[in-house]
Amino acid sequence: MIWSLLTAFVIAGIHGAATAAGTSGPAACVTFDINWNLLAFGFNGKDYNAGTQDTWTSSSAPTDITTQGRPPFDSANTTCYLAQFFNAIYVLNADSSSPSSIYIYDVAKASWSKQSVDVGTFDPTNFAAILDHDTNVFYSYSAGDMFSLDMQSQTAAIPSAIPWKEVQKPDLSSDPDGTSTPGANTAGYEPVMALAQNHVHFLGVPGLAPGNAKIFVIHFSFMQPAPQFYGTAFPDTHGKAASFFLDSGVQQEFAFIPDDGSATYVINVESNTTKTLSGPPQRDPFASYSASTSALVQLNTAGQVAFLAYDPKTTTSGGTWATISKLPSALSSGSSSNGSSATGNTTGSSGSGSGTNSSSGNSSGSSNNNKSDAVSSIRLGAGMFLAAGMTLIGMLSL
């Protein structure tokens, strides 16, 4: 009996530690420049330009674009955003020592700078966000509130901190009667946000019928009371989303990938229709996604990168995912290397109110999720529960 209890303690410790070690998204991130070159940041202390889609499966090596001033990419759930008008990349949650800061990569100059941020009541450790195409303003959801942060035309940091401002407590209820109740149906909601036509689409909202989304109209700062149906009953569940760019103009389609990876749904907000494409090769609920005009890219927590080719005019269903073989595997949690520390064009410290940098977006977990740390966590967890088990044995022996 005693040994059975001890075994149960040890197994619980190992299982709990192993589970905690596997619940963080990548510390690396992938995105595109305005010429649709795939940019990969934080890949084992390096950054790469993998070129255009026609070269991704070739044997050629990617271009190393690592330079000074880059973030350390040492925090889980890093996200990267293309500001299409300015050919700039904005990187959030890439520095565990300064979780509120935004790093800016100027593609034309191949240079980094670090923008300080005044967080106010915004929690930089727990949010989901989109970058609006036309206004270049971030809109985020965190703990039942919507916030905005105006990047203006920045391709480099400015001396003063830029603020996160509260927009509203959104009404995510499904009531179609036109009334608005601030904060309704937000309790426990893990945000899934997608951008198209300068509208923020909230997916996976509790209680919505499958195939529906709640819509926030950016230019009028208005939450539409009634949900919008998109023609196909895609699941009302948590997942990830990425918007397909156009060469010019606002995005009209976005991809939604449920956490179970069972399919990829492409929603067109002009026609209010949905295409059902193949799910990603790795069914990873903590993977991150990015899209160009003609491809959806997945970076999973094992550091592997794959893509699904997409033509909005001819792709109607199915599709085949392929590995981007020219990129090395990225660690699931980044590590800095020589030249990768946040030096150079730093413009200030992080804003006030920063909390523990446990996660960003919809998942939680350790900010360092590589194998050695996972093993250490398992050993620590097992050791703690072993000690508890031995204490129990001593008590039962008295």
Side-chain angles (χ1 to χ4, degrees):
M1 175 65 179
I2 292 175
W3 286 108
S4 296
L5 287 170
L6 176 59
T7 302
F9 270 108
V10 173
I11 290 175
I14 294 174
H15 180 268
T19 300
T23 55
S24 298
C29 66
V30 292
T31 189
F32 294 88
D33 65 18
I34 61 171
N35 295 310
W36 312 122
N37 294 295
L38 178 64
L39 306 180
F41 297 107
F43 277 52
N44 300 318
K46 295 287 187 179
D47 306 324
Y48 297 100
N49 183 331
T52 52
Q53 185 174 337
D54 57 321
T55 70
W56 292 347
T57 58
S58 70
S59 58
S60 61
T63 302
D64 188 338
I65 58 172
T66 312
T67 189
Q68 289 187 340
R70 65 190 291 274
F73 294 99
D74 62 353
S75 180
N77 306 300
T78 298
T79 50
C80 298
Y81 305 82
L82 167 63
Q84 189 176 11
F85 284 133
F86 311 107
N87 203 18
I89 309 300
Y90 304 143
V91 183
L92 276 61
N93 203 41
D95 185 349
S96 62
S97 68
S98 185
S100 65
S101 296
I102 297 175
Y103 283 81
I104 303 174
Y105 181 69
D106 184 332
V107 176
K109 296 181 179 179
S111 63
W112 287 95
S113 56
K114 180 183 177 182
Q115 177 63 56
S116 61
V117 173
D118 179 1
V119 296
T121 59
F122 172 74
D123 182 358
T125 69
N126 181 24
F127 70 96
I130 59 90
L131 178 67
D132 182 47
H133 179 273
D134 283 2
T135 63
N136 212 37
V137 172
F138 277 108
Y139 285 86
S140 69
Y141 177 98
S142 177
D145 275 330
M146 285 189 69
F147 297 85
S148 67
L149 184 143
D150 190 353
M151 296 300 296
Q152 301 182 54
S153 58
Q154 286 184 238
T155 58
I158 59 176
S160 58
I162 55 178
W164 280 106
K165 298 179 179 179
E166 186 173 4
V167 175
Q168 63 175 244
K169 294 183 182 297
D171 181 349
L172 297 181
S173 64
S174 58
D175 296 335
D177 59 3
T179 60
S180 177
T181 304
N185 200 33
T186 59
Y189 174 54
E190 295 185 40
V192 184
M193 299 173 68
L195 175 70
Q197 278 294 2
N198 303 120
H199 292 15
V200 181
H201 299 74
F202 289 91
L203 307 173
V205 177
L208 287 193
N212 280 264
K214 286 285 287 187
I215 296 176
F216 176 78
V217 183
I218 289 173
H219 291 304
F220 295 96
S221 195
F222 173 69
M223 180 68 72
Q224 293 184 3
Q228 175 64 54
F229 180 60
Y230 286 107
T232 296
F234 56 81
D236 181 47
T237 186
H238 188 265
K240 298 293 178 64
S243 300
F244 287 99
F245 280 91
L246 299 175
D247 286 318
S248 62
V250 298
Q251 301 97 324
Q252 296 179 356
E253 294 184 309
F254 61 85
F256 169 58
I257 306 93
D259 282 346
D260 66 6
S262 55
T264 300
Y265 299 95
V266 176
I267 291 91
N268 186 302
V269 303
E270 291 289 292
S271 60
N272 291 339
T273 57
T274 300
K275 301 173 184 176
T276 303
L277 309 184
S278 302
Q282 298 296 324
R283 298 190 175 190
D284 183 350
F286 304 104
S288 61
Y289 295 86
S290 184
S292 63
T293 58
S294 59
L296 175 66
V297 176
Q298 180 201 54
L299 170 62
N300 66 29
T301 51
Q304 300 164 331
V305 186
F307 77 100
L308 178 67
Y310 176 71
D311 185 330
K313 295 181 180 179
T314 62
T315 303
T316 57
S317 63
T320 301
W321 289 78
T323 300
I324 299 180
S325 55
K326 68 187 301 183
L327 280 174
S329 177
L331 293 177
S332 59
S333 189
S335 59
S336 60
S337 65
N338 293 335
S340 66
S341 60
T343 59
N345 299 320
T346 302
T347 61
S349 62
S350 64
S352 61
S354 298
T356 303
N357 192 20
S358 60
S359 69
S360 168
N362 311 317
S363 56
S364 61
S366 167
S367 64
N368 194 349
N369 195 31
N370 59 29
K371 291 182 179 179
S372 62
D373 284 345
V375 171
S376 297
S377 297
I378 291 172
R379 288 173 178 168
L380 177 60
M384 292 174 64
F385 277 83
L386 178 60
M390 295 302 292
T391 301
L392 177 62
I393 291 173
M395 293 174 62
L396 293 175
S397 299
L398 293 177

